[in-house]
Amino acid sequence: LRDRLSGLLIGVTDREAPGGVRMIDPELQKRVVAATKAFPDAQTYQAGYSVGLDRMVVYTEGAADSGTYWLVDIDKKSARPIGSARPMIKAEDLGEVRTVHYQAGDGLALDGVLTLPPKSAGKGLALVVLLEGGPSRVRNSPNLNMLAQTFASRGYAVLQPNYRGMLGYGEAFRKAAEGEVELTVEQQQAAG
């Protein structure tokens, strides 16, 4: 991220940080954090900002938000919606998203993100397991995933497991994938 007037570096993007950015100046970082406090249940990303970050355009998405742009005014402590990324998708069209916990066969504690069909009790559903990325991928978190929501809208429960090796759980969890190999198509077919 660069200052609008000087062009100097003021921060970097970071999906794991509040607002999706890390500012070099601690005072600017406080403004970013303040802007995200209005959206505790959503993923937030900086979409634009004024000099000094007095005002920001913040993009949110989450389990009940298909994507909204907000104008956040730090001094006025206000946030007002200014646009929708997916205006045809309403909150009631989205399925419930939550984190689930389970154990691997070897006892390793794992979790994942479960998306249920809209208005579903979550019982007796066929399950789609959505494996995205590979080892050294940032973990799944309970936010909006349009592919998962698409399957859920068709009546499926969707699990996005956080498998060993994913980032965000510490070094021991990452190393738990060492020595594991992906099977070739022939090995998968031989294994059944």
Side-chain angles (χ1 to χ4, degrees):
L1 302 171
R2 299 205 174 267
D3 181 83
R4 300 279 187 223
L5 295 177
S6 68
L8 294 174
L9 182 70
I10 60 171
V12 295
T13 57
D14 179 351
R15 277 185 70 92
E16 295 295 306
V21 298
R22 285 201 191 280
M23 306 306 287
I24 295 168
D25 181 336
E27 291 304 313
L28 292 180
Q29 186 65 30
K30 285 180 186 176
R31 288 178 176 266
V32 170
V33 170
T36 64
K37 284 185 179 176
F39 316 103
D41 297 326
Q43 292 288 106
T44 58
Y45 305 99
Q46 286 293 100
Y49 51 92
S50 66
V51 174
L53 278 71
D54 306 32
R55 288 172 290 153
M56 293 172 244
V57 175
V58 175
Y59 175 77
T60 61
E61 64 180 29
D65 179 358
S66 65
T68 305
Y69 291 94
W70 300 81
L71 179 59
V72 176
D73 188 311
I74 297 297
D75 296 332
K76 292 181 182 176
K77 296 182 179 165
S78 67
R80 66 177 174 88
I82 57 174
S84 174
R86 298 173 186 92
M88 300 298 288
I89 302 175
K90 307 295 181 218
E92 58 269 13
D93 298 329
L94 298 173
E96 177 188 354
V97 181
R98 65 177 181 237
T99 300
V100 293
H101 301 273
Y102 56 97
Q103 279 191 330
D106 64 0
L108 181 66
L110 297 171
D111 67 21
V113 176
L114 181 66
T115 304
L116 297 174
K119 303 173 189 83
S120 168
K123 303 283 186 200
L125 301 170
L127 178 69
V128 171
V129 178
L130 197 61
L131 298 173
E132 299 178 289
S136 298
R137 179 186 185 283
V138 175
R139 69 177 180 253
N140 295 300
S141 57
N143 58 22
L144 182 72
N145 180 300
M146 291 309 294
L147 184 56
Q149 288 290 342
T150 299
F151 281 116
S153 74
R154 301 301 186 262
Y156 294 96
V158 181
L159 177 65
Q160 297 167 260
N162 288 321
Y163 40 84
R164 63 188 77 222
M166 291 185 109
L167 302 176
Y169 291 96
E171 191 65 15
F173 191 82
R174 189 190 65 72
K175 285 186 175 184
E178 287 181 2
E180 299 290 323
V181 263
E182 292 185 26
L183 298 177
T184 65
V185 171
E186 294 80 20
Q187 289 170 322
Q188 291 175 17
Q189 290 172 343

